[in-house]
C-alpha cells in the first residue's frame, strides 16, 4: 500500500507542477507604477499609469527633461472609444503650465488578446516567479508578457515593433480597481488654455 501512495503522490506532483496556467486576461481598470524604456534604454521613464478601458481613458504621469529643465508631465487620453478621442499633454515647468491637445482617431489603448500566446515557462523577474507568454511572430512584431504566477498581475510586457524597436513596461506596483473620475479630470483653467 505504501509504494502505491508514494506513486500516487509522485504522479499528482508531476500533474500539478506540469500544468499550463489558464490564458491570461488584460485588466480593464487599474493603476500601476511602471518603468518604461525603449531601444538601448533610450529615454527611460518611471511613470504612474491610470487605466480605464471601459470608459476609454488613461493617464500617464512622469518626470522628464525639456531644454535642460526638469518637466513634470501628465498625458491624458480621453476618448469616445478606445481609439478615438483627445490626447492632452500637460507639462509643468517651474511655475508654468503648458497644455497641448490633439484629436486622434488612431490611438490604441492596450487591450491585448492573449488567445494565441503560448506559455513557455516560469522566469523570475525582480524576485517574482512569473508565467511567460509569447505571441507568435506577426508582421515582424514580437510580444512577451510576464505575469505573476501567484496573483496573475502584470509584471512586464515586452515587444518589438515591425521596425525592430523594442519597448518594455516593467510593473512595480499594481492595483486592479475601478479608477475614480477625478483622476482623469484636467484643471478647468489649464483646459481653457490648452493649445
Amino acid at each position: 500500500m505504501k509504494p502505491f501512495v508514494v506513486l500516487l503522490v509522485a504522479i499528482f506532483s508531476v500533474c500539478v507542477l506540469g500544468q499550463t496556467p489558464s490564458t491570461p486576461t488584460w485588466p480593464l481598470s487599474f493603476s500601476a507604477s511602471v518603468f518604461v524604456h525603449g531601444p538601448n534604454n533610450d529615454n527611460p521613464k518611471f511613470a504612474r499609469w491610470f487605466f480605464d478601458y471601459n470608459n476609454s481613458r488613461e493617464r500617464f504621469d512622469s518626470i522628464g527633461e525639456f531644454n535642460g529643465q526638469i518637466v513634470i508631465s501628465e498625458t491624458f487620453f480621453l476618448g469616445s472609444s478606445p481609439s478615438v478621442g483627445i490626447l492632452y499633454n500637460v507639462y509643468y515647468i517651474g511655475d508654468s503650465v503648458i497644455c497641448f491637445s490633439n484629436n486622434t482617431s488612431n490611438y490604441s489603448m492596450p487591450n491585448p488578446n492573449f488567445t494565441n500566446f503560448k506559455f513557455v515557462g516560469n522566469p523570475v523577474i525582480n524576485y517574482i516567479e512569473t508565467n511567460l507568454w509569447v505571441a507568435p511572430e506577426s508582421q515582424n512584431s514580437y510580444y512577451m508578457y510576464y505575469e505573476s504566477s501567484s496573483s496573475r498581475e502584470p509584471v512586464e510586457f515586452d515587444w518589438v515593433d515591425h521596425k525592430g524597436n523594442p519597448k518594455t513596461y516593467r510593473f512595480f506596483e499594481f492595483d486592479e480597481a475601478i479608477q475614480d473620475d477625478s483622476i482623469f479630470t484636467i484643471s478647468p483653467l489649464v483646459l481653457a488654455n490648452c493649445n
Side-chain angles (χ1 to χ4, degrees):
M1 180 71 172
K2 189 174 183 180
F4 176 75
V5 171
V6 171
L7 179 63
L8 191 58
V9 168
I11 291 171
F12 178 76
S13 297
V14 168
C15 290
V16 168
L17 294 175
Q19 287 182 340
T20 298
S22 61
T23 304
T25 57
W26 186 253
L28 297 178
S29 188
F30 65 83
S31 65
S33 297
V34 294
F35 180 69
V36 182
H37 61 89
N40 304 317
N41 284 331
D42 291 344
N43 198 17
K45 245 183 233 183
F46 188 77
R48 190 78 181 131
W49 186 8
F50 303 93
F51 184 84
D52 182 353
Y53 189 83
N54 289 333
N55 291 305
S56 303
R57 55 195 186 175
E58 73 181 315
R59 171 180 167 175
F60 279 94
D61 295 351
S62 65
I63 296 175
E65 187 177 336
F66 179 72
N67 286 341
Q69 293 184 313
I70 298 296
V71 175
I72 297 172
S73 69
E74 296 174 342
T75 302
F76 296 84
F77 172 74
L78 305 176
S80 57
S81 76
S83 62
V84 176
I86 301 176
L87 190 63
Y88 294 94
N89 293 290
V90 181
Y91 301 103
Y92 300 87
I93 306 168
D95 293 333
S96 301
V97 180
I98 301 168
C99 177
F100 300 98
S101 65
N102 187 14
N103 286 317
T104 181
S105 59
N106 63 351
Y107 190 79
S108 183
M109 288 183 72
N111 188 17
N113 179 344
F114 294 107
T115 304
N116 294 323
F117 279 59
K118 180 181 176 190
F119 174 73
V120 295
N122 299 101
V124 175
I125 296 178
N126 285 342
Y127 295 95
I128 299 170
E129 182 181 318
T130 66
N131 299 326
L132 172 56
W133 299 87
V134 177
E137 179 184 347
S138 173
Q139 299 172 349
N140 293 324
S141 296
Y142 305 91
Y143 300 90
M144 294 187 300
Y145 177 66
Y146 305 80
E147 63 176 355
S148 166
S149 296
S150 58
S151 70
R152 307 294 303 265
E153 294 176 347
V155 174
E156 184 168 305
F157 207 139
D158 298 328
W159 69 90
V160 178
D161 68 19
H162 65 283
K163 295 178 183 175
N165 298 315
K167 193 143 197 177
T168 295
Y169 279 66
R170 169 111 14 116
F171 294 80
F172 287 96
E173 174 277 330
F174 187 86
D175 182 26
E176 185 173 359
I178 294 172
Q179 301 302 299
D180 190 87
D181 289 339
S182 65
I183 291 171
F184 303 101
T185 303
I186 302 170
S187 159
L189 179 61
V190 171
L191 199 53
N193 291 285
C194 202
N195 299 317

